[in-house]
Each structure stands twice: as C-alpha cells, then as structure tokens.
Amino acid sequence: MHKPHDSAHLHVTGQSEFVDDRIRMQNEVFIEVIYSPHAHAKIKSIDSSRARQLCGVEGIFFGQDFHENLWGTIFRDQPLMATSEVNFAGEVIALVAATSPAIAAQARKLIQVQYEILPAILTIQDAISQESFIAGSRKIERGDVTHALKSSPNQLQNNIIIRGADHFYLESNVAVAYPKEDGQIEIHSSSQHPSEVQHVVSHGLGLPSKNITCIVKRMGGGFGGKESQAAPIAAYAALVAHKLNRPARIVLTKDDDMIMTGKRNPFENTYQVGFDDNGRILALDAQLFSDGGAYADLSTSIMERAMLHSDNAYYIPHMRVVGQVCRTHFHPHTAFRGFGGPKGVAMIEKIIEEIAHALKMDPLDVRKINCYDNHERNTTHYDQKVENNCLPKLFSDLESECQYRRRRKSIDEHNQLAIRTNLSVLKGISLTPVKFGISFTTRFLNQANALVIIHRDGSLQVSTGATEMGQGVNVRIAELLSTELGLPRTQVRMMPTSTDKNANTSPTAASSGTDLNGAAALLAVRRIKSRLSALALKLFEIPESRWARHTAGLGTEAEISVPNSIETNDPNAHADWNSGIASFSDIQFQDGHVFHKDNPQKRISFHSLIVEAYHNRISLSEYSHYKFPGLSFNKLTGKGDAFLYFTQGVACSEVSIDRDTGETKVQRVDIIMDLGRPINEALDLGQVTGGFIQGMGWVTSEKLFYKDGLLLSHAPSTYKIPSIQDTPREFNVRLFNNNENRPNVRGTKAAGEPPLLLCISIWTAIHDAMKHLPNYRQAYPTMELPATNEEILKALYPEKFKRWNTP
C-alpha cells in the first residue's frame, strides 16, 4: 500500500509553509510593481516625487538600478524592467519598497507615468504579414511530401486555431530576499528553477553566483508558469534587499500575476493532408505559427515540441512540419503543462476526425489504421524508433472496456432522434490517444545531481534539484530510496531544494523531475549501499564483541576497510529488474535489517550497521550525477532520438451539448494510461485525473479576453477554470500493466504532462456531437479551441452570429 503525499497532513491542517508564510522580519520591506497598461509605448516620463514623500516609502527602483538589465532563458532579450519602451501590457517599469504592504500599494498609485502609444502587433496574422518573428523557422521532414500529396486519392486542407490559457496556480509569484554578511543574498522563491533564479539575480546585481543562494521548499502550483518567469520576480526582491540592505518581500496579487505573466502559447496551424480510401494518411504538410509574445522566453523550444508531437500516435510516411514563432505585443508566453505537445496533438487529432468525416468512417477506425505498430510502421518523422509501443493494445483494450461500439450506436440514434424532434441535447463521443516524449529536447538539460546523507540514527536527508509543486516528486524519490534500503518512507527527509546543495540544476519540467533526480539520488544511495554491503559481509565473520562500537574508542581492533563505491550512470545496473532493487555481495536490505540472502537468520539492524560504518570511518554520505543516455536529436537536421522513451495513453470521452445555451457536460471519461511500473500508484492516478481535468478547462471553458493587449480576464470571476461541477459524471481510470520500459529508472514512466493531452478527446467529442446536424453532414464543424459555450453557439448557428464574426 502506497502512502499519501508527504505534505498531505500539513496541507489539510494548514501547517504547510509556503514562501509568504515565512515570518516577517522587523526591518523587512514590501514591494509593489508598477507596470505598463499599454501593449506598446514609449515611456516619456516617470514622476515618483509624490510617492517618495509618503511616510514609510524606503525606495523606488528602475531598470537602471540593475547592474545588467537583461535576462532570458534561451535568448537574453528581455529587460528585467523596461526603461525607454514597453512591449507588452504588464511589463514592469518600476518597483516601490515600503515598510508595509498598504503603504507600498498607496505609493504605487502615486507614481505617474506618461506614455506615447505606439502601434501594436496583436494577432499572429499581423505578425506574419509584418514578418515579426522570434528566431528563424524550423523544419522537420521525411519522405517526398509534395509528390505524395499530389498522388493521394483524397486530399483536404484546413487550419486549427488554438488559444492560450493561464496557469492559475493557487500561489501567485512570490519571493523573499535576505541580505547576508559579506555581500551574500539568500532568496526564497516560488520557482520551478532555482538555478535560473540564482543566475538571473547574479547577472542582474553583478554578483558572483557564489554569493547567491536560492531555496525552494515548495510551491502552491506551477504547471510550467514558474519555470522561467519566477526568476525576474525574485530579482526584484533581490535588488531591493541588496540596495537597502534589508529583507525584501514581493507577493503578486492574482490580478497582477495574471496580467504580467505569459500564458500557454496560442497557435494557428494550417495543413494539407493526403489519404487513401481506407483513411490511411499518406502525406501531411503542416505549418505551425505560435504567438511568442514580446520576448523569446521558451517559445522556440515550445514550438519544437509541438513539431515533434504533430504525429502523436500515428505513422505518417511522408511528413513535413514547419514551425515559426511570432513576435507580438503580448506578455511573453511560456511553458505550460504539456509544453508544445498539446498543440501538435490537437492538430493531428482534428485531421483524423476530418478524414473520418470525409470518408463516412468511424474516427476510431481511422486512428487504428494509422497507429504506430511494432514492425515497419514504427519510426517517427524525426527518425526515432517507437520502442515499447503499447498503443495498439491500449486502443483495443479501451474500445472493449468502455463499450465504445455500443455507445457509438446509441449516441448516433439519440442524435438522429434529437434532430427529428428538435430535442435540445446532442451527444458526442471520441476516443483519442497520446504518445508523449519524455526528456528535454535540449540535451544538456537532461542532467541532475543529488546529495544523500545517512545520519548515525539511520535516518536520511536527501537534497536534489527537483522542486515540489504539489506533484509529489519528493514522495517518489523518497520511496525509491526507502525501498532500496528496506526502510519505511518516514526514515527519509526530503530537504528544500537549494542551490548551495545542488548546483547547475535543470528546471523541474518536461515531466522529468523524478526520472532525473530520482535516478541521481538512487545512484548516490547505491554507492553507500555497496559500501554498507561490503561492511556487513565482513561483520558477519567477526564476533560482535570485536565490532567497532565496542572497540573503536580504545583502538584495540583494526578498522574494517571496504571498496569506496561503485561507478555507473545506469540506475538499473546491479538491480533485479522485477524488484528494481540492487544487491551487492548477495546482501539484502529488508524491513530495517541487513542479512545475507543464503543465511537470513544472521542479520544486523540497519541502524547498527550505520553505527559500525561510522566507527570504521566509512562514508555515509554521497553525491551523484545522472544524465539521460542515448539522446541524439540534431536540431539542425531535425533527426535523431529526441526522447528517452514515450508515455502513452488513451481516453474515451462522452459529452452532451445544449443547443439552447451551448453548455457542455462531460458525461463519462474512461482512461487507460501506460505509466510503466509506478513508484506510487495513488499519486500517479492523481496526476492522470488532475492533468486531464486541467486540460479539460483548456479545451472548454478557459478563455482569455484582451482589450488592446491588456488582459481583462485576470480573476476567477472572469476566467473559468473547471469546478467540481464540471468533472465527468463518470470517471474511470486505470493504469496499464507494462513491465518493459527499460531505459528509465525502475521501469517507471512520467505522469506529469502526458495525461493532459488526452483532454483533446473532449474537444473532438463536442465536434462529434455537432457533425450530426444537417449543415455539417458534408463540412466538418469549425471551432476554435477552447470550445466555450459561445464558440459552440456560433458553430450551431453560424448565420445568426455572422455579423459578430465580421472584422
């Protein structure tokens, strides 16, 4: 039985400490931000004189106060604070620090900024027409697409418009910075990437990294929104703390956070596809355009993942996908759960639906005929072989378990009756897959390190570069280590992530937090375990009276020496594949005891073994570094192994839509998810259901509304994430039994991002309901994503809404 999240008891009792829960210091100052309300403008003047006269205002700071006022995750193209020109509504131009939050808020209102409004690029199409791009276009191509399209028996071309979404984490961006002795600064940040916080602060203040320590205990949600964009927020706190030599705290309101920070990148994709009369895709030519916002942030990598996932679960012999990031005057868009994957998958799933509609076939049959197999049709368009492919089995299992064919017939009959008798409710059903690549597509990010300490009482402290944002990465790592040593999980304490323990870490992102950091920690524990095993083997041959605990103080016995440690970068080396646990010299670690497998009666407690190791001066701490093996993706050629493995799954969603209101109800969802061999099945099921529901909001209700580039829907009153009433009326989830994911630690698979992409089954199910209408019997329904109530009504009654669609 797997234990719950390690912080569950703290969360439900209100004892969990988040950044803003840190005790306020007597001399602490509080920061408010002043940002532009305009998408594009010159800063003509800033008058802060009235604010400076306010009692309690300790300082007002501008971009010029930074040693280096430029940052960026991939390209350093974004000012920490704008100085002469603003390029998005929400771009910070000043900070005010005061002795209380109320005074800081009052001072913020007194600062007057004069702007000269400039023309703004606020659509992807305008960016294309003005050639406003971030970096160059990218292409991944296989086969002869042009010829294959021309020779295809059937062709269609269309587009898909995918809007953005907000992360809506419960804890807004927050940071507290403490000035320390000799020019040091300690920062507590709600960040998925402590090393980036450290480096941005270092550059911004002109201090060496050795003087900056970033600590992340936990976040109240991240979902990618705190991968890069937490860094400048922390830099604001650090700047004020450094200049005033006082602790400084910045806590964004939900409104400010939503206005200032970037979202999931909007995409507009066009495509041409050729297929045969059986629905098999012969060629696909796709162009992907994303809205990157005003600065690069992570948008080029997001585009790359969208391109790599444009095949999803399907083998396409001739395929060309071209991607271009557009520069607009919106907040710089950023990572979001799934990264670019959902945009590529949404496109190909819409294509599958359109092919099925054109051929009067069931979309599931089109999916199955195009699915990757385990023989010849098993190589992606970027030339990576799909190993451990469970997709055909997942399709057949879910089709049977959810009674897809029977329900399809029933739904078709209901819709025919509804149209004949003018019933308001239409129903739809759709079964879609996901094949999600696990690893960062930038090779050097696929590394991690861990520090493991075993104390003399037999308890462990473990430090890794992984950050805990509620997903349970600490639980998984703790379980990996406790089972390896045969201890209860309560013996392992996962420490706050800190750059003075784990340096140069990668962000906790790309669903790789456990894979990378868990493997590093396991390798460290196995080095200690190998030494302990050698020690135990020798202790079993020595009378206990001569053990070091009795003799070390007197020096009457020679020390026991053991080989220092094993050296391997493979977390599955030395391990039994079925158990995942390594054994050295046939020494077993179980239930708090250590023994030889051939003589289990002769044993020593784990605690006693640790005491003996200490008295024999055998190291009980270890540092280890791990990197994913075998990644060979060449970004210039678009070829090679981009991922360590693929997480796979399928979902069948049934919806009803009300023709009077456009309201969607999700009646039933069935999911089968291949997560290899889960470390903690309960947490993985939580990730599957939570990720799916979050994605459901993206495809149905979460619509961002802007006016002249300024976000209007910046609160829960205007931005609608799913509530308990929106969850599926029937929700069935099971994990697929897969014992063969050999590249990854203990055969597990990542659960963080892949389930979100299964939400596309809801979006396609909505289309499925509408295509029974007379006006869609030939043409496939056209809707943007998300399919909000308004979007559905426009598709139901296009003539009535025509005047609103006119530019």
Side-chain angles (χ1 to χ4, degrees), residues 289-310:
F289 292 95
S290 72
D291 182 343
Y295 304 107
D297 202 272
L298 290 163
S299 289
T300 53
S301 287
I302 292 165
M303 172 58 76
E304 180 179 74
R305 187 168 281 264
M307 296 167 67
L308 291 169
H309 284 77
S310 293

Side-chain angles (χ1 to χ4, degrees), residues 264 690-700 702 722 756-757 759-760:
R264 186 185 291 280
F692 185 88
I693 296 298
Q694 184 175 44
M696 193 177 85
W698 170 56
V699 301
T700 61
E702 297 185 31
L756 182 140
L757 285 76
C759 69
I760 292 166

